[in-house]
Amino acid sequence: MKLDQKSFTGKSFRPLPELRINEDLNMFCLLTAWGPRNQSAKVLDFLAQNYESFFSDEEKTRAYSKLESLSREENTVRNLLLACNEWIFKELNEEKTGVFAYELFFASFEKGKLTFAQVGQPFVYLDRPGFSLQSLGANLDFSALFAVKGKRLAPLPSALIGLYPDTHFPVFSLPLQPEDRLLFVSRDFIPMEILKTPREQRSLENFLKLLTSENEKSPCWLGQLSV
């Protein structure tokens, strides 16, 4: 796995995601801190340290309900993120003065299949040869949800992990094919031109040009993951 990334500061603040790739565990995580960043490494450590045990130890997952509509891998990812949310709330936020909250994208790669879940941004697209970009996740900022007549507001997340003792999020699985990539975009709005970009032009440089030409004030972060 390899992630290339680019960012644009714009005229307002948007925090940059922090990355954790563990190829031994086939684990990938993007964590965006909205608030203090000094505990981000601990959150990423929690996910990495508990990932393998959640996949191998059914006893550890019994504290959380098993959903019959989800596969084993999907239930495992779901339970791991529920445990992470509970850990952040109890260890970092409950009865403490600081507020630690994060947008999160977490993915597991097992036997040619991607299982993933996310809370908040980034937008996630499947970049597959022969197809236009396909949306896998589109969580709008509050700045986009509450914009009036196209007015651009400062970035503000609409979903965060760790703020409350419980949380909810979707979990999905996707069979991967050769040359598949994932495109991540943290931004308020996504121009339609992005989705129409031909495969041979899907570079981060071209995407960044499109985004900054659409609005030079909106900050953004781009990531391209080769799996």
Side-chain angles (χ1 to χ4, degrees):
M1 285 181 280
K2 179 187 176 185
L3 182 81
D4 297 317
Q5 52 187 314
K6 284 187 176 295
S7 61
F8 175 71
T9 56
K11 300 295 183 180
S12 54
F13 173 72
R14 176 181 291 278
L16 298 178
E18 298 183 51
L19 167 69
R20 179 69 59 91
I21 293 178
N22 191 318
E23 297 208 16
D24 292 334
L25 298 176
N26 296 317
M27 184 200 92
F28 172 83
C29 185
L30 289 171
L31 188 73
T32 307
W34 287 85
R37 299 173 62 94
N38 59 341
Q39 300 295 326
S40 298
K42 289 184 179 180
V43 178
L44 292 168
D45 288 343
F46 177 93
L47 291 166
Q49 291 165 6
N50 287 276
Y51 173 85
E52 191 169 19
S53 62
F54 265 74
F55 266 88
S56 60
D57 185 0
E58 290 189 6
E59 290 290 334
K60 196 161 188 175
T61 67
R62 287 185 180 175
Y64 307 97
S65 60
K66 178 181 179 182
L67 302 184
E68 295 298 327
S69 59
L70 299 183
S71 67
R72 180 187 71 88
E73 293 85 359
E74 290 166 345
N75 268 303
T76 301
V77 167
R78 174 179 176 271
N79 290 343
L80 175 60
L81 296 194
L82 289 174
C84 182
N85 179 83
E86 185 178 354
W87 179 83
I88 295 170
F89 180 77
K90 288 183 176 180
E91 296 298 321
L92 302 182
N93 284 331
E94 193 172 35
E95 298 181 358
K96 295 181 174 62
T97 56
V99 177
F100 296 89
Y102 307 88
E103 291 181 305
L104 180 147
F105 176 89
F106 182 91
S108 162
F109 301 87
E110 294 285 339
K111 299 178 181 178
K113 182 171 68 174
L114 170 73
T115 301
F116 65 96
Q118 70 178 119
V119 180
Q121 286 212 6
F123 292 93
V124 186
Y125 299 97
L126 173 65
D127 178 359
R128 176 171 287 174
F131 294 88
S132 59
L133 289 173
Q134 301 297 311
S135 176
L136 299 181
N139 292 294
L140 291 174
D141 275 6
F142 273 132
S143 59
L145 292 170
F146 290 98
V148 178
K149 294 183 179 179
K151 182 180 179 181
R152 307 298 271 256
L153 305 176
L156 190 65
S158 61
L160 294 164
I161 193 171
L163 275 183
Y164 304 102
D166 56 12
T167 187
H168 64 89
F169 46 82
V171 186
F172 300 104
S173 290
L174 172 74
L176 294 173
Q177 297 182 11
E179 300 184 58
D180 278 353
R181 297 184 303 220
L182 296 181
L183 172 67
F184 302 97
V185 185
S186 290
R187 195 175 188 261
D188 52 0
F189 294 94
I190 305 298
M192 287 301 297
E193 288 76 13
I194 289 281
L195 305 182
K196 298 175 183 178
T197 305
R199 170 78 178 197
E200 63 273 11
Q201 297 177 22
R202 293 176 194 165
S203 67
L204 293 186
E205 291 80 4
N206 283 338
F207 287 137
L208 195 59
K209 283 181 182 178
L210 281 170
L211 293 175
T212 54
S213 62
E214 189 270 341
N215 191 294
E216 62 181 12
K217 296 181 179 180
S218 292
C220 64
W221 172 87
L222 294 163
Q224 195 171 53
L225 180 69
S226 302
V227 296

